[in-house]
Amino acid sequence: MNFGLSNEQEMVVKTVRDFVEIEIYPHENLVERTGEVPPELGAELKRKCIELGFYACNFPEEVGGAGLDPVTFTLVERELGRGSMGLTVFFGRPSGILMACEGEQRERYLLPAVRGEKVDALAITEPDAGSDMRGMKCSARKDGSDFVLNGTKHFISHADVADFVIVFAATGEEETSKGTKKKITAFLVDRGTPGFEIKKGYDSLSHRGYNNCILTFTDCRLPQSQVLGEVHRGFDIANEWLTGTRLTVAATCVGRARRAFEMALPYAAERQQFGRPIGANQGVSFKLADMITEIDAADLLTMSAAWRLANGMPSTREIASAKLYASEMLARVTDEAIQIFGGMGLMDDLPIGRFWRDARVERIWDGTSEIQRHIISRDLLRPYGA
Ligand SMILES: Cc1cc2nc3c(=O)[nH]c(=O)nc-3n(C[C@H](O)[C@H](O)[C@H](O)COP(=O)(O)OP(=O)(O)OC[C@H]3O[C@@H](n4cnc5c(N)ncnc54)[C@H](O)[C@@H]3O)c2cc1C
Protein backbone atom coordinates (compact mmCIF):
# COMPACT_ATOMS: atom_id res chain seq x y z
CA MET A 1 0.00 0.00 0.00
CA ASN A 2 1.32 3.42 -1.00
CA PHE A 3 0.82 6.05 1.71
CA GLY A 4 1.83 8.96 -0.52
CA LEU A 5 -0.59 10.84 -2.76
CA SER A 6 0.05 11.23 -6.48
CA ASN A 7 0.33 14.75 -7.92
CA GLU A 8 -3.18 14.35 -9.31
CA GLN A 9 -4.54 13.32 -5.91
CA GLU A 10 -2.80 16.28 -4.23
CA MET A 11 -4.46 18.56 -6.78
CA VAL A 12 -7.87 16.97 -6.19
CA VAL A 13 -7.52 17.43 -2.43
CA LYS A 14 -6.49 21.08 -2.83
CA THR A 15 -9.29 21.85 -5.28
CA VAL A 16 -11.98 20.33 -3.08
CA ARG A 17 -10.52 21.88 0.12
CA ASP A 18 -10.55 25.31 -1.56
CA PHE A 19 -14.13 24.76 -2.73
CA VAL A 20 -15.26 23.86 0.79
CA GLU A 21 -13.44 26.78 2.42
CA ILE A 22 -14.42 29.40 -0.16
CA GLU A 23 -17.87 28.28 -1.30
CA ILE A 24 -19.27 26.35 1.68
CA TYR A 25 -17.95 27.80 4.97
CA PRO A 26 -19.31 31.34 4.43
CA HIS A 27 -22.89 30.02 4.13
CA GLU A 28 -22.88 27.52 6.99
CA ASN A 29 -24.27 29.89 9.63
CA LEU A 30 -27.19 30.82 7.40
CA VAL A 31 -28.11 27.17 6.89
CA GLU A 32 -27.75 26.46 10.61
CA ARG A 33 -29.97 29.41 11.53
CA THR A 34 -32.71 28.83 8.96
CA GLY A 35 -32.49 25.06 8.44
CA GLU A 36 -32.75 25.71 4.71
CA VAL A 37 -30.45 26.23 1.75
CA PRO A 38 -31.77 29.04 -0.48
CA PRO A 39 -32.52 27.39 -3.87
CA GLU A 40 -30.40 29.94 -5.75
CA LEU A 41 -27.42 29.16 -3.50
CA GLY A 42 -27.86 25.41 -4.08
CA ALA A 43 -28.02 26.00 -7.84
CA GLU A 44 -24.91 28.19 -7.71
CA LEU A 45 -22.91 25.56 -5.80
CA LYS A 46 -23.99 22.90 -8.27
CA ARG A 47 -23.03 25.08 -11.23
CA LYS A 48 -19.57 25.75 -9.77
CA CYS A 49 -19.05 22.04 -9.08
CA ILE A 50 -20.00 21.18 -12.67
CA GLU A 51 -17.62 23.89 -13.94
CA LEU A 52 -14.81 22.39 -11.85
CA GLY A 53 -15.50 19.02 -13.48
CA PHE A 54 -16.26 17.36 -10.15
CA TYR A 55 -19.99 16.76 -10.46
CA ALA A 56 -20.63 12.99 -10.31
CA CYS A 57 -16.89 12.47 -9.89
CA ASN A 58 -17.71 9.00 -8.51
CA PHE A 59 -18.96 7.88 -11.95
CA PRO A 60 -16.83 6.42 -14.75
CA GLU A 61 -15.75 8.61 -17.65
CA GLU A 62 -17.70 6.54 -20.18
CA VAL A 63 -20.97 7.82 -18.68
CA GLY A 64 -19.68 11.39 -18.28
CA GLY A 65 -18.26 11.26 -14.74
CA ALA A 66 -14.75 12.20 -13.66
CA GLY A 67 -13.85 8.53 -13.25
CA LEU A 68 -12.14 8.87 -9.91
CA ASP A 69 -10.90 5.60 -8.43
CA PRO A 70 -12.16 4.68 -4.91
CA VAL A 71 -9.05 6.06 -3.19
CA THR A 72 -9.26 9.46 -4.89
CA PHE A 73 -13.03 9.61 -4.41
CA THR A 74 -12.54 8.88 -0.69
CA LEU A 75 -10.13 11.83 -0.55
CA VAL A 76 -12.86 14.01 -2.10
CA GLU A 77 -15.36 12.85 0.53
CA ARG A 78 -12.83 13.47 3.28
CA GLU A 79 -12.48 17.09 2.18
CA LEU A 80 -16.22 17.57 1.74
CA GLY A 81 -16.72 16.15 5.24
CA ARG A 82 -15.28 19.39 6.60
CA GLY A 83 -18.28 21.32 5.35
CA SER A 84 -21.94 21.47 6.28
CA MET A 85 -23.75 18.61 4.61
CA GLY A 86 -26.79 20.74 3.75
CA LEU A 87 -24.42 22.57 1.39
CA THR A 88 -21.94 19.91 0.29
CA VAL A 89 -24.81 17.80 -1.05
CA PHE A 90 -24.82 20.18 -4.03
CA PHE A 91 -21.33 18.94 -4.84
CA GLY A 92 -23.32 16.18 -6.51
CA ARG A 93 -22.48 12.53 -6.01
CA PRO A 94 -25.47 10.62 -7.45
CA SER A 95 -26.03 7.14 -6.06
CA GLY A 96 -23.63 4.63 -7.60
CA ILE A 97 -26.52 2.19 -7.96
CA LEU A 98 -27.60 4.12 -11.06
CA MET A 99 -24.86 2.21 -12.87
CA ALA A 100 -27.37 -0.66 -12.88
CA CYS A 101 -29.54 1.33 -15.36
CA GLU A 102 -30.02 -0.44 -18.66
CA GLY A 103 -31.37 0.49 -22.09
CA GLU A 104 -33.45 3.64 -22.13
CA GLN A 105 -33.06 3.98 -18.32
CA ARG A 106 -29.57 5.25 -19.05
CA GLU A 107 -30.96 8.20 -21.04
CA ARG A 108 -33.79 8.89 -18.59
CA TYR A 109 -31.96 8.52 -15.26
CA LEU A 110 -28.25 7.70 -15.29
CA LEU A 111 -26.95 10.27 -17.78
CA PRO A 112 -29.13 13.21 -16.59
CA ALA A 113 -28.08 12.41 -12.98
CA VAL A 114 -24.41 12.45 -13.96
CA ARG A 115 -24.87 15.75 -15.87
CA GLY A 116 -26.63 17.31 -12.85
CA GLU A 117 -29.93 17.68 -14.71
CA LYS A 118 -31.78 15.28 -12.42
CA VAL A 119 -31.36 14.57 -8.71
CA ASP A 120 -31.89 11.11 -7.22
CA ALA A 121 -32.69 9.84 -3.71
CA LEU A 122 -32.50 6.31 -2.31
CA ALA A 123 -35.39 4.85 -0.32
CA ILE A 124 -34.94 1.66 1.68
CA THR A 125 -35.83 2.51 5.31
CA GLU A 126 -39.40 2.30 6.61
CA PRO A 127 -41.00 3.16 9.95
CA ASP A 128 -41.05 -0.57 10.86
CA ALA A 129 -37.95 -1.66 8.95
CA GLY A 130 -34.64 0.08 9.67
CA SER A 131 -31.67 -2.19 10.39
CA ASP A 132 -33.83 -5.14 9.41
CA MET A 133 -34.20 -4.10 5.78
CA ARG A 134 -35.72 -7.38 4.68
CA GLY A 135 -38.55 -6.75 7.11
CA MET A 136 -39.85 -4.04 4.79
CA LYS A 137 -43.61 -3.84 4.30
CA CYS A 138 -43.58 -1.66 1.20
CA SER A 139 -44.67 -4.04 -1.53
CA ALA A 140 -44.91 -4.08 -5.30
CA ARG A 141 -47.64 -6.44 -6.52
CA LYS A 142 -47.51 -7.67 -10.11
CA ASP A 143 -50.59 -6.64 -12.09
CA GLY A 144 -50.39 -7.64 -15.75
CA SER A 145 -47.09 -6.24 -16.99
CA ASP A 146 -47.11 -3.49 -14.32
CA PHE A 147 -46.20 -3.38 -10.63
CA VAL A 148 -48.45 -1.68 -8.08
CA LEU A 149 -46.51 -0.12 -5.22
CA ASN A 150 -47.98 0.40 -1.73
CA GLY A 151 -46.29 1.42 1.50
CA THR A 152 -44.31 4.10 3.31
CA LYS A 153 -40.63 5.00 3.46
CA HIS A 154 -39.17 7.46 5.96
CA PHE A 155 -35.87 9.23 6.74
CA ILE A 156 -35.25 9.59 2.98
CA SER A 157 -32.47 12.15 2.57
CA HIS A 158 -32.92 15.07 0.17
CA ALA A 159 -36.02 13.54 -1.45
CA ASP A 160 -37.43 17.09 -1.15
CA VAL A 161 -35.19 18.09 -4.05
CA ALA A 162 -35.18 14.76 -5.90
CA ASP A 163 -36.56 14.33 -9.42
CA PHE A 164 -36.76 10.57 -8.95
CA VAL A 165 -36.29 8.05 -6.17
CA ILE A 166 -34.77 4.56 -6.22
CA VAL A 167 -37.28 2.63 -4.13
CA PHE A 168 -36.80 -0.85 -2.69
CA ALA A 169 -39.97 -2.93 -2.26
CA ALA A 170 -40.91 -6.52 -1.48
CA THR A 171 -42.02 -8.43 -4.57
CA GLY A 172 -42.48 -11.90 -3.08
CA GLU A 173 -41.14 -14.43 -0.61
CA GLU A 174 -38.80 -17.38 -0.75
CA GLU A 175 -38.02 -20.28 1.56
CA THR A 176 -34.41 -20.37 2.71
CA SER A 177 -32.48 -22.47 5.24
CA LYS A 178 -33.02 -19.55 7.65
CA GLY A 179 -36.81 -19.44 7.11
CA THR A 180 -39.06 -17.35 4.86
CA LYS A 181 -37.36 -14.30 3.36
CA LYS A 182 -38.79 -11.44 1.34
CA LYS A 183 -37.59 -10.97 -2.21
CA ILE A 184 -36.74 -7.35 -2.85
CA THR A 185 -36.81 -5.38 -6.12
CA ALA A 186 -35.52 -1.85 -6.82
CA PHE A 187 -37.67 0.59 -8.82
CA LEU A 188 -37.05 3.98 -10.40
CA VAL A 189 -39.99 6.19 -9.40
CA ASP A 190 -40.40 9.68 -10.88
CA ARG A 191 -41.62 12.57 -8.78
CA GLY A 192 -45.19 13.24 -9.91
CA THR A 193 -46.06 9.59 -10.61
CA PRO A 194 -49.74 9.17 -9.60
CA GLY A 195 -49.97 7.56 -6.15
CA PHE A 196 -46.49 8.76 -5.09
CA GLU A 197 -46.28 11.52 -2.50
CA ILE A 198 -43.18 13.16 -1.00
CA LYS A 199 -43.80 14.81 2.37
CA LYS A 200 -41.58 16.79 4.72
CA GLY A 201 -39.87 14.49 7.21
CA TYR A 202 -38.77 15.05 10.81
CA ASP A 203 -36.74 17.92 12.22
CA SER A 204 -33.35 16.35 12.95
CA LEU A 205 -30.69 17.06 15.58
CA SER A 206 -27.95 16.60 12.97
CA HIS A 207 -27.24 18.29 9.66
CA ARG A 208 -29.66 21.19 9.48
CA GLY A 209 -30.59 21.97 5.89
CA TYR A 210 -30.02 18.36 4.83
CA ASN A 211 -33.65 17.35 4.92
CA ASN A 212 -35.23 13.94 5.25
CA CYS A 213 -38.64 13.05 3.81
CA ILE A 214 -41.51 10.63 4.20
CA LEU A 215 -42.62 8.92 0.98
CA THR A 216 -46.01 7.29 0.57
CA PHE A 217 -47.09 4.98 -2.23
CA THR A 218 -50.81 4.36 -2.73
CA ASP A 219 -51.58 2.04 -5.63
CA CYS A 220 -48.66 3.65 -7.44
CA ARG A 221 -48.55 1.92 -10.84
CA LEU A 222 -45.14 1.34 -12.42
CA PRO A 223 -44.43 -0.31 -15.76
CA GLN A 224 -41.81 -3.08 -15.93
CA SER A 225 -39.42 -0.54 -17.49
CA GLN A 226 -39.07 1.11 -14.04
CA VAL A 227 -37.40 -1.96 -12.52
CA LEU A 228 -33.75 -1.24 -11.76
CA GLY A 229 -31.70 -4.38 -12.24
CA GLU A 230 -33.65 -7.62 -12.16
CA VAL A 231 -36.93 -8.42 -10.45
CA HIS A 232 -36.32 -9.92 -6.95
CA ARG A 233 -32.60 -9.01 -7.17
CA GLY A 234 -32.68 -5.54 -5.56
CA PHE A 235 -30.17 -6.47 -2.85
CA ASP A 236 -27.79 -7.86 -5.46
CA ILE A 237 -27.45 -4.48 -7.15
CA ALA A 238 -27.31 -2.78 -3.74
CA ASN A 239 -24.42 -5.05 -2.77
CA GLU A 240 -22.71 -4.48 -6.11
CA TRP A 241 -23.00 -0.69 -6.23
CA LEU A 242 -23.54 0.58 -2.69
CA THR A 243 -20.67 -1.14 -0.84
CA GLY A 244 -18.59 2.02 -0.94
CA THR A 245 -21.20 4.36 0.58
CA ARG A 246 -20.21 3.43 4.14
CA LEU A 247 -16.70 4.40 3.25
CA THR A 248 -17.93 7.87 2.38
CA VAL A 249 -19.41 8.14 5.90
CA ALA A 250 -16.02 7.18 7.36
CA ALA A 251 -14.22 9.73 5.17
CA THR A 252 -16.72 12.45 6.10
CA CYS A 253 -16.07 11.76 9.79
CA VAL A 254 -12.30 11.99 9.35
CA GLY A 255 -12.58 15.33 7.51
CA ARG A 256 -14.92 16.84 10.08
CA ALA A 257 -12.85 15.60 13.03
CA ARG A 258 -9.73 17.21 11.55
CA ARG A 259 -11.56 20.51 11.16
CA ALA A 260 -12.63 20.37 14.82
CA PHE A 261 -9.08 19.47 15.87
CA GLU A 262 -7.57 22.28 13.78
CA MET A 263 -9.72 24.72 15.74
CA ALA A 264 -9.09 23.16 19.15
CA LEU A 265 -5.28 23.02 18.82
CA PRO A 266 -4.55 26.77 18.40
CA TYR A 267 -7.24 27.59 20.95
CA ALA A 268 -5.48 25.38 23.51
CA ALA A 269 -2.23 27.17 22.70
CA GLU A 270 -3.68 30.69 22.88
CA ARG A 271 -6.37 30.63 25.56
CA GLN A 272 -4.86 31.82 28.82
CA GLN A 273 -6.11 30.79 32.26
CA PHE A 274 -4.14 30.96 35.52
CA GLY A 275 -1.54 32.99 33.62
CA ARG A 276 -0.64 30.35 31.05
CA PRO A 277 -2.11 28.63 27.98
CA ILE A 278 -4.72 26.00 28.89
CA GLY A 279 -2.74 23.61 26.63
CA ALA A 280 0.15 23.80 29.11
CA ASN A 281 -1.96 21.61 31.42
CA GLN A 282 -1.72 17.89 30.80
CA GLY A 283 -5.47 17.68 31.32
CA VAL A 284 -5.82 19.57 28.02
CA SER A 285 -2.67 18.59 26.12
CA PHE A 286 -3.32 14.87 26.57
CA LYS A 287 -6.76 15.37 25.09
CA LEU A 288 -5.08 16.80 22.00
CA ALA A 289 -2.72 13.83 21.88
CA ASP A 290 -5.61 11.37 22.05
CA MET A 291 -7.65 13.31 19.49
CA ILE A 292 -4.94 13.37 16.82
CA THR A 293 -4.05 9.73 17.43
CA GLU A 294 -7.66 8.68 16.93
CA ILE A 295 -8.11 10.89 13.87
CA ASP A 296 -5.00 9.47 12.22
CA ALA A 297 -6.05 5.92 13.09
CA ALA A 298 -9.49 6.47 11.53
CA ASP A 299 -7.89 8.10 8.50
CA LEU A 300 -5.59 5.12 7.93
CA LEU A 301 -8.42 2.60 8.40
CA THR A 302 -10.53 4.54 5.92
CA MET A 303 -7.83 4.97 3.30
CA SER A 304 -6.68 1.36 3.56
CA ALA A 305 -10.27 0.14 3.09
CA ALA A 306 -10.52 2.43 0.04
CA TRP A 307 -7.27 1.01 -1.26
CA ARG A 308 -8.57 -2.55 -0.89
CA LEU A 309 -11.76 -1.58 -2.73
CA ALA A 310 -9.73 0.08 -5.50
CA ASN A 311 -7.64 -3.06 -5.87
CA GLY A 312 -10.62 -5.40 -6.10
CA MET A 313 -9.84 -7.07 -2.76
CA PRO A 314 -12.51 -8.20 -0.27
CA SER A 315 -13.28 -5.07 1.72
CA THR A 316 -16.69 -5.46 3.39
CA ARG A 317 -15.22 -6.02 6.86
CA GLU A 318 -12.60 -3.32 6.44
CA ILE A 319 -15.19 -0.78 5.27
CA ALA A 320 -17.44 -1.68 8.23
CA SER A 321 -14.47 -1.24 10.61
CA ALA A 322 -13.66 2.15 9.07
CA LYS A 323 -17.28 3.32 9.32
CA LEU A 324 -17.60 2.07 12.89
CA TYR A 325 -14.35 3.50 14.17
CA ALA A 326 -14.43 6.82 12.29
CA SER A 327 -18.02 7.63 13.33
CA GLU A 328 -17.34 6.78 16.98
CA MET A 329 -14.03 8.66 16.84
CA LEU A 330 -15.84 11.77 15.54
CA ALA A 331 -18.20 11.67 18.52
CA ARG A 332 -15.26 11.55 20.97
CA VAL A 333 -13.20 14.18 19.16
CA THR A 334 -16.03 16.71 18.84
CA ASP A 335 -16.95 16.15 22.49
CA GLU A 336 -13.37 16.84 23.59
CA ALA A 337 -13.21 19.86 21.28
CA ILE A 338 -16.18 21.34 23.14
CA GLN A 339 -14.43 20.62 26.45
CA ILE A 340 -11.31 22.46 25.27
CA PHE A 341 -13.37 25.48 24.18
CA GLY A 342 -15.25 25.48 27.47
CA GLY A 343 -18.52 27.45 27.42
CA MET A 344 -17.73 29.01 24.05
CA GLY A 345 -17.74 25.50 22.56
CA LEU A 346 -21.50 25.40 23.09
CA MET A 347 -22.28 28.75 21.54
CA ASP A 348 -23.60 29.20 18.03
CA ASP A 349 -20.85 31.76 17.39
CA LEU A 350 -18.51 28.81 16.79
CA PRO A 351 -19.24 25.68 14.70
CA ILE A 352 -17.91 23.30 17.42
CA GLY A 353 -21.30 22.58 18.95
CA ARG A 354 -22.68 21.90 15.50
CA PHE A 355 -19.88 19.41 14.74
CA TRP A 356 -20.85 17.54 17.92
CA ARG A 357 -24.56 17.54 17.01
CA ASP A 358 -23.88 16.52 13.41
CA ALA A 359 -21.58 13.72 14.59
CA ARG A 360 -24.46 11.87 16.22
CA VAL A 361 -26.13 10.69 13.03
CA GLU A 362 -22.95 9.17 11.61
CA ARG A 363 -23.25 6.29 14.12
CA ILE A 364 -26.79 5.61 12.93
CA TRP A 365 -27.23 6.02 9.20
CA ASP A 366 -25.82 3.69 6.56
CA GLY A 367 -25.98 0.92 9.18
CA THR A 368 -25.74 1.63 12.93
CA SER A 369 -22.57 0.94 14.92
CA GLU A 370 -24.19 -2.27 16.17
CA ILE A 371 -24.88 -3.42 12.60
CA GLN A 372 -21.24 -2.66 11.62
CA ARG A 373 -20.09 -4.78 14.59
CA HIS A 374 -22.43 -7.50 13.37
CA ILE A 375 -20.89 -7.37 9.86
CA ILE A 376 -17.34 -7.42 11.25
CA SER A 377 -17.93 -10.27 13.71
CA ARG A 378 -19.84 -12.38 11.16
CA ASP A 379 -16.93 -11.99 8.75
CA LEU A 380 -14.49 -13.14 11.45
CA LEU A 381 -16.55 -16.09 12.68
CA ARG A 382 -17.97 -17.39 9.38
CA PRO A 383 -14.81 -19.35 8.43
CA TYR A 384 -15.16 -21.22 11.76
CA GLY A 385 -18.76 -22.10 10.93
CA ALA A 386 -19.89 -20.22 14.04
C1 LIG B 1 -31.01 11.73 9.07
C2 LIG B 1 -31.18 10.38 8.48
C3 LIG B 1 -31.13 10.24 7.10
C4 LIG B 1 -31.31 8.96 6.53
N1 LIG B 1 -31.29 8.84 5.16
C5 LIG B 1 -31.71 7.66 4.61
C6 LIG B 1 -31.91 7.55 3.19
O1 LIG B 1 -31.65 8.48 2.42
N2 LIG B 1 -32.40 6.38 2.70
C7 LIG B 1 -32.69 5.32 3.51
O2 LIG B 1 -33.15 4.29 2.99
N3 LIG B 1 -32.47 5.38 4.84
C8 LIG B 1 -32.00 6.53 5.42
N4 LIG B 1 -31.81 6.61 6.77
C9 LIG B 1 -32.12 5.44 7.60
C10 LIG B 1 -30.96 4.84 8.35
O3 LIG B 1 -30.16 4.07 7.49
C11 LIG B 1 -31.58 4.06 9.52
O4 LIG B 1 -31.97 5.01 10.48
C12 LIG B 1 -30.66 3.04 10.11
O5 LIG B 1 -30.42 1.98 9.22
C13 LIG B 1 -31.21 2.46 11.43
O6 LIG B 1 -32.56 2.10 11.34
P1 LIG B 1 -33.59 2.63 12.46
O7 LIG B 1 -33.38 4.07 12.62
O8 LIG B 1 -34.95 2.16 12.08
O9 LIG B 1 -33.16 1.94 13.82
P2 LIG B 1 -33.49 0.43 14.27
O10 LIG B 1 -33.14 -0.54 13.22
O11 LIG B 1 -34.86 0.38 14.85
O12 LIG B 1 -32.44 0.25 15.45
C14 LIG B 1 -32.66 0.79 16.78
C15 LIG B 1 -31.49 0.34 17.65
O13 LIG B 1 -31.48 -1.09 17.73
C16 LIG B 1 -30.21 -1.57 17.33
N5 LIG B 1 -30.34 -2.85 16.63
C17 LIG B 1 -31.22 -3.20 15.66
N6 LIG B 1 -31.02 -4.45 15.26
C18 LIG B 1 -29.97 -4.92 15.98
C19 LIG B 1 -29.23 -6.14 16.01
N7 LIG B 1 -29.54 -7.16 15.20
N8 LIG B 1 -28.21 -6.26 16.87
C20 LIG B 1 -27.87 -5.23 17.68
N9 LIG B 1 -28.50 -4.05 17.70
C21 LIG B 1 -29.54 -3.89 16.85
C22 LIG B 1 -29.66 -0.51 16.38
O14 LIG B 1 -28.25 -0.58 16.27
C23 LIG B 1 -30.14 0.76 17.08
O15 LIG B 1 -29.26 1.08 18.12
C24 LIG B 1 -31.54 7.84 7.35
C25 LIG B 1 -31.56 8.00 8.74
C26 LIG B 1 -31.37 9.24 9.31
C27 LIG B 1 -31.43 9.36 10.81
Side-chain angles (χ1 to χ4, degrees):
M1 182 179 170
N2 179 6
F3 288 100
L5 299 188
S6 67
N7 288 344
E8 191 202 338
Q9 287 170 330
E10 297 276 10
M11 204 180 69
V12 165
V13 168
K14 181 175 177 341
T15 307
V16 182
R17 172 83 60 96
D18 287 350
F19 186 92
V20 172
E21 289 182 354
I22 295 166
E23 307 293 348
I24 303 285
Y25 287 0
H27 304 293
E28 287 181 338
N29 282 343
L30 172 77
V31 175
E32 275 306 293
R33 219 175 43 247
T34 62
E36 299 291 339
V37 179
E40 59 283 4
L41 172 59
E44 178 78 355
L45 291 172
K46 185 187 214 179
R47 186 184 60 72
K48 288 182 173 164
C49 177
I50 292 171
E51 266 173 27
L52 273 181
F54 272 92
Y55 200 90
C57 62
N58 51 328
F59 278 75
E61 281 170 318
E62 61 265 26
V63 299
L68 297 188
D69 63 275
V71 171
T72 313
F73 180 56
T74 303
L75 293 170
V76 170
E77 290 289 353
R78 199 176 70 179
E79 293 310 315
L80 291 175
R82 290 173 166 266
S84 161
M85 207 153 173
L87 293 159
T88 56
V89 69
F90 293 97
F91 198 98
R93 287 92 77 214
S95 175
I97 204 168
L98 288 172
M99 284 302 288
C101 283
E102 280 180 3
E104 62 123 22
Q105 290 176 347
R106 289 168 66 89
E107 298 297 330
R108 284 184 60 202
Y109 300 103
L110 170 63
L111 300 180
V114 169
R115 288 194 294 261
E117 294 160 5
K118 282 188 178 176
V119 172
D120 63 297
L122 187 75
I124 300 174
T125 306
E126 301 182 2
D128 292 326
S131 304
D132 178 15
M133 292 186 285
R134 262 194 209 270
M136 68 175 60
K137 292 181 179 159
C138 190
S139 69
R141 174 177 49 83
K142 195 99 171 80
D143 184 30
S145 60
D146 294 346
F147 286 88
V148 179
L149 197 53
N150 279 289
T152 303
K153 299 283 177 187
H154 79 163
F155 292 158
I156 308 310
S157 299
H158 62 80
D160 50 336
V161 293
D163 297 288
F164 67 95
V165 183
I166 302 146
V167 181
F168 285 69
T171 40
E173 290 185 339
E174 62 186 332
E175 290 306 322
T176 72
S177 57
K178 291 179 182 162
T180 310
K181 275 194 174 173
K182 286 184 178 158
K183 295 182 190 172
I184 309 293
T185 303
F187 295 90
L188 295 153
V189 188
D190 290 305
R191 174 185 285 275
T193 305
F196 173 32
E197 204 183 341
I198 303 176
K199 292 183 249 179
K200 184 183 177 307
Y202 317 92
D203 290 330
S204 171
L205 174 81
S206 302
H207 296 308
R208 289 185 187 150
Y210 186 72
N211 299 326
N212 68 85
C213 296
I214 298 171
L215 315 184
T216 55
F217 303 92
T218 313
D219 292 331
C220 175
R221 186 168 285 275
L222 301 170
Q224 172 83 27
S225 58
Q226 299 309 104
V227 171
L228 182 62
E230 286 176 42
V231 175
H232 303 324
R233 309 299 291 268
F235 281 154
D236 290 352
I237 53 167
N239 288 337
E240 184 175 356
W241 297 108
L242 297 180
T243 342
T245 60
R246 285 176 179 159
L247 201 51
T248 68
V249 177
T252 299
C253 293
V254 172
R256 195 161 314 125
R258 265 199 213 285
R259 183 174 172 197
F261 179 80
E262 286 163 11
M263 293 183 74
L265 177 63
Y267 189 80
E270 286 155 20
R271 168 79 172 164
Q272 301 273 329
Q273 289 294 287
F274 301 101
R276 59 185 193 149
I278 56 170
N281 302 292
Q282 273 190 358
V284 174
S285 64
F286 279 18
K287 283 190 200 310
L288 293 166
D290 289 344
M291 287 159 82
I292 197 65
T293 303
E294 287 208 52
I295 294 169
D296 285 347
D299 206 352
L300 288 169
L301 261 185
T302 303
M303 295 315 301
S304 75
W307 180 83
R308 290 180 69 90
L309 189 64
N311 285 284
M313 296 160 76
S315 49
T316 305
R317 175 173 70 75
E318 288 78 2
I319 290 173
S321 289
K323 200 268 180 187
L324 170 66
Y325 186 76
S327 59
E328 302 210 335
M329 171 282 294
L330 179 63
R332 290 188 290 271
V333 165
T334 53
D335 195 67
E336 291 294 37
I338 290 183
Q339 201 63 19
I340 290 172
F341 273 91
M344 275 316 289
L346 299 171
M347 302 301 145
D348 284 347
D349 299 59
L350 295 173
I352 306 290
R354 165 164 67 85
F355 297 156
W356 177 77
R357 253 192 306 108
D358 287 351
R360 195 61 189 87
V361 75
E362 311 295 351
R363 289 151 65 191
I364 291 176
W365 62 14
D366 261 310
T368 62
S369 285
E370 291 74 23
I371 294 304
Q372 304 310 319
R373 288 189 170 92
H374 182 71
I375 294 168
I376 296 162
S377 56
R378 290 308 307 142
D379 188 82
L380 294 173
L381 290 165
R382 199 174 292 117
Y384 293 89

